[in-house]
């Protein structure tokens, strides 16, 4: 630690701190445009100038100078830094005047208005006149895709966007050309950006040069009600803020969560909000003579009751989808239990994960932040860039931070970091498990090896054997202890871990989702399962939000609430319990899924034991206490991994394939989004080449 005096306040800070960090540690506020905690230091905006006593007789850029570079006073006194001296104030005012020479000052029509760093700093350091009378420069706007709109006259060349795309996203879409006042940020060939994290440059841009194209001229920030919630577009559970005006969600922004998504979200998370408005189910429907017609709730419930009462419990089934909350799954399970139904399943993709193997067999045990501790990583049947973009950015961060070997067993893909492709399928995995492959020794020599298993490997017929093989690799590598459990299951469905925690799988003699969909039942409750084809014959009750695949096959449609329209619990891929809050209200007659099930249970004569969300959660927490531990991860017993490794089984030699073929079309909300459709149409067959 090094002693330093900031504005008369003496404190100890690490020697490798920058002056900016040291000043903020002392409570001083330092303005900045180019500096960002997660990006490399550029030092080109000069807004963070401070005065250093004993240093050069001019202001110093605090972001680019380290504490260890300061010299002590003549008698060994600690270095002195001033952040509010007349020299500093004059220097910052000069920088601000310089930045505004070419800025168009079009705040009234700028989408960044009200949230603009330049506006905020101009209030503190701007002056009412300028010494420059020259014409402002004009820069041609660039087309960089359907998501990010450019207004390059406003650009102050902070290069945050360039550093983000190159360092964090790993796809060097943006760069700078020209020098001096001719410098421009561009994609060179004026093509659409190819990163699935590109929307984050909108948040990073300190001025209005890069703004959201779909949100253009939609609303002002002070008009919006802001609600903290959780994303369900993948199983990462990114922390988000939903901004709504009236009943409409206007935009979705990231929230800071170091343990999960840091401060990034994927483009699908950010721009899917227009899909919440289109193709919505807003009233019940009944199928008569082969056609769906609008109906009342009473009619729909009566039709369901007539079918259920005339069908034996062994011919009734229920499938839960990928976006439903824990409360909805719990209510559906209670209803099925009251009817004596054992055919229940939440694994519509056919994954072979099962709660009977132990919780450690189906969660991301090392946690998402634990990726940064791993020193050898094996990817099995997964493409994290498409399945979990934010987690892939964490893997890239680990790759950039120091030596680590990352290997892949599965289909080749550009993951934005160096990956050794060991093979395509089961033969390679077996060789690693048996110790005959060279990478087995790499994992064994590592202090914290990590084995990430994707749903592409677990949803095959030999899924249990693949999972057992991955567990065996973890055991052989010494990664199956309570200190470090290296077996990590990467999910693609936000609802999956929560449903497995509740035991929403078929009990002894019950049919799984595939068997039910192929005609194994006569009455099927479909709770938002849109990724499975249901064969003709069964009477299907679809409860969901959009007119997607499930609604097309339904005999009765009950309109539900989307994730932004209800308060619900979700459990992410690492087993973290998270709470999403309601930001808007569902359209028309649509209601929360648990409320629909509660009303239906009364008509069926099996009234569920709660009347409101509070009562439902009380029953949920009594049956599953871990669900009350919001934002916490319940410890998993690593012994389950060792037991799983003993299961064995034959693994098919066929290649593992990722279940996500189109990143932009993975659920009904995304498929209803015009923005996602445009992105999908522009997406190249192969994603852009990664940054070295």
């Amino acid at each position: 630690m090094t002693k330093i005096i900031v504005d008369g306040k003496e404190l100890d800070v690490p020697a490798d701190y920058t002056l900016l960090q040291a000043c903020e540690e002392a409570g001083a506020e330092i303005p900045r445009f180019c500096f960002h905690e997660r990006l490399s230091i550029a030092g080109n905006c000069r807004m963070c100038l401070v005065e250093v006593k004993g240093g050069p007789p001019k202001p110093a850029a605090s972001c680019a100078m380290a504490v260890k570079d300061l010299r002590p006073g003549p008698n060994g006194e600690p270095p002195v830094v001033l952040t509010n001296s007349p020299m500093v104030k004059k220097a910052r005012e000069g920088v601000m005047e310089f930045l505004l020479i070419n800025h168009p000052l079009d705040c009234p029509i700028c989408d960044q208005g009200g949230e603009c760093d330049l506006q905020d700093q101009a209030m503190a350091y701007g002056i009412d006149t300028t010494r420059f009378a020259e014409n402002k420069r004009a820069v041609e706007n660039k087309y960089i895709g359907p998501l990010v709109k450019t207004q390059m006259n406003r650009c102050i060349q902070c290069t945050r966007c360039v550093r983000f795309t190159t360092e964090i996203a790993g796809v060097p879409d943006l760069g700078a050309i020209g020098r001096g006042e001719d410098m421009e940020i561009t994609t060179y060939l004026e093509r659409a950006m190819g990163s699935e994290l590109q929307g984050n440059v909108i948040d990073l841009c300190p001025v209005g040069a890069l703004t959201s194209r779909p949100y253009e001229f939609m609303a002002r920030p002070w008009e919006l009600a802001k609600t903290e919630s959780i994303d369900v577009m993948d199983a990462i559970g990114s922390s988000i803020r939903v901004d709504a005006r009236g009943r409409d969600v206007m935009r979705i922004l990231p929230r800071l969560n170091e343990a999960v998504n840091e401060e990034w979200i994927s483009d699908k998370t950010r721009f899917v909000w227009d899909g919440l408005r289109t193709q919505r189910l807003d009233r019940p429907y009944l199928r008569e003579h082969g056609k769906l017609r609008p109906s009342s709730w009473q009619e729909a419930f009566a039709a369901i009751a007539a079918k259920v009462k005339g069908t034996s419990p062994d011919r009734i089934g229920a499938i839960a989808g990928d976006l439903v909350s824990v409360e909805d799954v719990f209510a559906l399970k209670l209803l099925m239990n009251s009817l004596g139904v054992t055919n229940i399943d939440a694994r519509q993709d056919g994954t072979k994960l099962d709660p009977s193997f132990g919780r450690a067999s189906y969660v991301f045990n090392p946690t998402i932040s634990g990726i940064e501790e791993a020193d050898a990583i094996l990817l099995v049947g997964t493409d994290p860039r498409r399945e979990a973009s934010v987690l892939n950015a964490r893997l890239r961060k680990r790759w950039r931070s120091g030596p680590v070997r990352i290997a892949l067993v599965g289909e080749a893909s550009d993951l934005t970091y160096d990956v050794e492709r060991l093979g395509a399928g089961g033969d390679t995995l077996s060789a690693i498990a048996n110790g005959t492959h060279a990478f087995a020794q790499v994992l064994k020599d590592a202090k914290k090896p990590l084995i990430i298993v994707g749903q592409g490997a677990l949803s095959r017929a030999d899924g249990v054997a693949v999972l057992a093989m991955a567990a065996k690799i973890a055991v052989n590598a010494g990664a199956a202890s309570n200190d470090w459990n290296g077996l990590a299951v990467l999910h693609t469905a936000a609802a999956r871990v929560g449903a497995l925690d509740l035991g929403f799988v078929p009990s002894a003699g019950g049919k799984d989702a595939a068997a039910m969909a192929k005609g194994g039942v006569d009455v099927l409750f479909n709770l938002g399962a849109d990724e499975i084809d249901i064969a003709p014959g069964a009477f299907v009750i679809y409860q969901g939000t959009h007119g997607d695949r499930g609604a097309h096959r339904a005999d009765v449609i009950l309109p539900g609430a989307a994730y932004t329209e209800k308060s619900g619990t979700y459990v992410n891929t690492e087993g973290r319990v998270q709470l999403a809050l309601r930001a808007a209200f569902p359209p028309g007659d649509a209601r929360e899924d648990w409320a629909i099930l509660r009303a239906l249970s009364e008509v069926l004569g099996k009234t569920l034991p709660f009347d409101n969300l509070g009562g439902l959660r009380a029953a949920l927490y009594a049956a599953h206490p871990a669900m009350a531990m919001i934002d916490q991860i319940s410890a998993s017993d690593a012994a389950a991994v060792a037991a799983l490794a003993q299961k064995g089984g034959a693994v098919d030699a066929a290649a593992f394939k990722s279940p996500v073929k189109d990143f932009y079309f993975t659920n009904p909300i995304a498929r209803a989004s015009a923005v996602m459709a445009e992105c999908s149409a522009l997406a190249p067959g192969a994603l852009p080449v990664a940054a070295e």
Side-chain angles (χ1 to χ4, degrees):
M1 303 290 278
T2 303
K3 280 197 183 304
I4 184 173
I5 299 174
V6 178
D7 294 336
K9 182 178 180 181
E10 185 175 308
L11 68 157
D12 290 321
V13 296
D16 56 355
Y17 261 30
T18 63
L19 292 189
L20 190 148
Q21 291 172 303
C23 291
E24 293 199 330
E25 196 76 14
E29 185 177 339
I30 307 295
R32 83 289 299 268
F33 291 117
C34 70
F35 176 81
H36 192 277
E37 292 81 357
R38 302 187 197 278
L39 304 176
S40 60
I41 293 171
N44 56 7
C45 79
R46 317 311 283 181
M47 196 65 207
C48 63
L49 295 174
V50 295
E51 182 179 354
V52 180
K53 289 290 186 183
K58 60 180 182 180
S62 61
C63 71
M65 180 177 281
V67 171
K68 62 186 176 185
D69 296 330
L70 299 182
R71 292 176 295 177
N75 300 314
E77 302 96 335
V80 176
V81 178
L82 300 176
T83 67
N84 53 13
S85 66
M87 176 200 283
V88 171
K89 187 172 187 298
K90 183 178 180 183
R92 291 178 182 171
E93 287 176 351
V95 170
M96 179 57 67
E97 185 181 2
F98 178 74
L99 289 176
L100 295 178
I101 292 172
N102 288 309
H103 197 78
L105 303 179
D106 55 350
C107 303
I109 61 164
C110 178
D111 275 324
Q112 196 87 337
E115 300 171 311
C116 177
D117 292 349
L118 189 63
Q119 278 184 331
D120 296 340
Q121 299 305 335
M123 289 295 292
Y125 300 104
I127 52 178
D128 60 354
T129 58
T130 179
R131 289 169 285 178
F132 296 90
E134 290 79 11
N135 291 331
K136 292 180 183 287
R137 76 168 191 162
V139 182
E140 187 177 347
N141 291 330
K142 315 293 190 298
Y143 174 78
I144 59 175
L147 303 180
V148 182
K149 179 191 174 220
T150 62
Q151 192 67 256
M152 302 314 290
N153 285 341
R154 302 170 185 155
C155 180
I156 61 171
Q157 286 90 37
C158 71
T159 68
R160 278 187 182 182
C161 55
V162 176
R163 284 174 284 151
F164 173 82
T165 56
T166 304
E167 297 165 12
I168 307 295
V171 183
D173 289 315
L174 297 175
I177 59 173
R179 300 185 65 178
E181 74 166 5
D182 294 324
M183 180 178 172
E184 296 181 26
I185 304 297
T186 175
T187 56
Y188 301 116
L189 300 178
E190 200 157 326
R191 64 185 179 90
M193 295 171 70
S195 171
E196 61 290 334
L197 296 170
Q198 62 181 278
N200 291 290
V201 301
I202 298 168
D203 299 331
L204 287 172
C205 184
V207 295
L210 301 176
T211 55
S212 171
R213 190 179 290 274
Y215 178 68
E216 182 181 8
F217 304 139
M218 295 281 281
R220 285 299 193 186
W222 52 85
E223 301 174 341
L224 305 176
K226 302 165 180 65
T227 308
E228 294 186 351
S229 192
I230 300 298
D231 172 51
V232 300
M233 293 297 109
D234 55 31
I236 301 304
S238 299
S239 295
I240 59 173
R241 193 187 86 194
V242 181
D243 290 359
R245 185 174 61 190
R247 286 181 173 268
D248 292 332
V249 173
M250 305 301 289
R251 64 177 179 178
I252 296 173
L253 300 176
R255 283 190 294 126
L256 182 66
N257 189 334
E258 296 289 354
V260 181
N261 60 307
E262 298 181 304
E263 57 188 272
W264 319 124
I265 54 174
S266 73
D267 294 338
K268 184 165 54 178
T269 300
R270 183 184 297 270
F271 295 106
V272 79
W273 49 265
D274 70 314
L276 293 166
R277 307 176 186 175
T278 54
Q279 298 182 20
R280 286 300 301 270
L281 301 173
D282 59 357
R283 62 187 304 175
Y285 287 86
L286 267 176
R287 189 177 296 277
E288 284 185 356
H289 310 298
K291 291 186 177 181
L292 288 168
R293 67 163 179 85
S295 75
S296 66
W297 284 103
Q298 291 79 8
E299 275 186 291
F301 285 166
I304 296 169
K307 275 289 182 182
V308 169
K309 289 173 182 176
T311 308
S312 63
D314 63 313
R315 299 297 297 173
I316 299 174
I319 302 176
D322 293 345
L323 306 183
V324 295
S325 68
V326 168
E327 289 86 351
D328 301 332
V329 175
F330 184 67
L332 181 59
K333 187 181 180 187
L334 288 181
L335 180 58
M336 292 300 106
N337 288 346
S338 68
L339 293 171
V341 174
T342 59
N343 308 315
I344 59 174
D345 203 356
R347 305 164 301 179
Q348 59 175 324
D349 60 358
T351 183
K352 300 302 183 287
L353 298 169
D354 197 298
S356 63
F357 299 152
R359 195 170 194 257
S361 70
Y362 61 83
V363 297
F364 203 96
N365 291 294
T367 72
I368 295 170
S369 60
I371 290 173
E372 297 180 31
E373 301 176 40
D375 47 1
I377 302 173
L378 176 64
L379 306 175
V380 180
T382 181
D383 180 350
R385 186 171 175 189
R386 288 184 176 89
E387 297 169 25
S389 306
V390 174
L391 183 139
N392 193 63
R394 185 86 73 156
L395 284 166
R396 176 176 166 80
K397 180 182 179 182
R398 173 63 191 92
W399 172 74
R400 293 183 71 239
S401 66
V404 62
R405 289 186 67 178
I406 306 177
L408 168 69
V409 179
E411 58 185 339
S413 177
D414 175 16
L415 299 178
T416 73
Y417 42 83
D418 292 338
V419 178
E420 306 170 38
R421 186 165 182 253
L422 307 180
D427 290 346
T428 306
L429 193 66
S430 299
I432 299 171
N434 296 329
T436 58
H437 195 286
F439 201 78
Q441 191 61 42
V442 173
L443 293 170
K444 206 166 190 176
D445 293 341
K447 293 179 181 177
K448 291 187 174 181
L450 174 60
I451 298 93
I452 300 178
V453 189
Q455 299 306 305
L458 300 177
S459 55
R460 312 190 321 173
D462 60 346
V464 174
V466 171
L467 184 61
M469 200 76 74
K472 185 178 178 182
I473 293 172
V475 170
N476 291 346
S481 68
N482 289 325
D483 293 331
W484 177 259
N485 187 343
L487 180 65
V489 176
L490 180 58
H491 289 269
T492 55
R496 188 66 47 79
V497 175
L500 292 173
D501 282 345
L502 297 185
F504 200 85
V505 294
S507 52
K511 300 180 180 69
D512 63 11
M516 287 187 271
K518 289 176 181 173
V521 293
D522 295 330
V523 175
L524 180 61
F525 287 84
N526 180 344
L527 182 60
D530 289 279
E531 317 305 322
I532 189 169
D533 289 315
I534 300 170
F539 182 84
V540 179
I541 301 113
Y542 176 73
Q543 202 170 317
T545 60
H546 286 73
D548 206 78
R549 187 186 304 176
H552 291 173
R553 173 61 188 84
D555 295 286
V556 178
I557 294 176
L558 307 177
Y563 72 106
T564 56
E565 299 160 359
K566 61 185 176 183
S567 178
T569 306
Y570 292 89
V571 186
N572 77 346
T573 191
E574 60 182 348
R576 183 184 301 274
V577 181
Q578 299 173 294
L579 192 61
L581 300 178
R582 181 170 63 191
F585 288 90
D589 291 336
R591 296 292 182 269
E592 291 94 334
D593 291 316
W594 65 263
I596 295 172
L597 292 167
R598 167 62 179 79
L600 177 60
S601 69
E602 197 168 338
V603 177
L604 294 174
K606 304 289 184 181
T607 306
L608 294 178
F610 54 83
D611 295 320
N612 51 41
L613 184 58
L616 168 57
R617 284 185 173 154
L620 172 65
Y621 298 160
H624 303 275
M627 291 299 169
M629 300 166 61
I630 303 301
D631 205 32
Q632 297 181 49
I633 301 175
S634 302
S636 300
D637 187 4
V641 178
L644 183 62
Q646 301 299 318
K647 285 191 172 292
V651 177
D652 194 336
F656 299 130
K657 295 188 180 299
S658 170
V660 178
K661 300 305 176 191
D662 190 332
F663 170 75
Y664 299 102
F665 280 168
T666 55
N667 59 65
I669 301 175
R671 287 189 286 270
S673 166
V675 176
M676 293 298 100
E678 191 173 355
C679 291
S680 178
L682 284 174
L687 289 170
V689 178
E692 294 299 331

